[in-house]
Amino acid sequence: MKYSRQRELILQTVRQYPVHPTADMVYESVRMAEPKISLGTVYRNLNLLAENGTLQKLNMPLGGDRFDGRLDPHSHIICICCGQVCDVESNILSSADQWVEEQTGYAVTGRTVVYSGLCPHCRTQKKQEG
């Protein structure tokens, strides 16, 4: 892939984000450093980086796609109230991968696990309201 200053800025933005940003979130952040960048450029580059394997594209069941700079095996959890997405370490799933291979004959090359629930902030808010 040919080097692009804009693409590098987009990649660094995703990697530095504490939550897994949407394309719109990346666009808003990148625009501070690169005011003339278009939303289309951000979308194209995020998808290119995901296709290339430089980023993970997370197809979230609740809301739009998110992007993750972490490439090691891990899962995610999404808050059903505010939409925040966090990483979940999933060492236990490696034994599930082995079980799936034994049951199906497939060689597992990846998995997508997305848990859903209430984040600590939303849980506290719900308790205060109720």
Side-chain angles (χ1 to χ4, degrees), residues 49-106:
L49 290 164
E51 288 169 13
N52 185 309
T54 307
L55 292 177
Q56 274 193 68
K57 183 177 182 177
L58 309 172
N59 302 74
M60 302 307 289
L62 305 169
D65 294 337
R66 301 292 189 109
F67 295 88
D68 189 353
R70 251 184 92 178
L71 300 177
D72 60 304
H74 65 285
S75 300
H76 298 93
I77 187 164
I78 184 168
C79 179
I80 59 173
C81 188
C82 71
Q84 179 179 326
V85 178
C86 295
D87 291 330
V88 176
E89 301 308 321
S90 53
N91 298 335
I92 196 166
L93 291 179
S94 59
S95 59
D97 292 347
Q98 185 178 6
W99 183 84
V100 168
E101 287 182 352
E102 290 170 3
Q103 295 297 311
T104 65
Y106 280 68

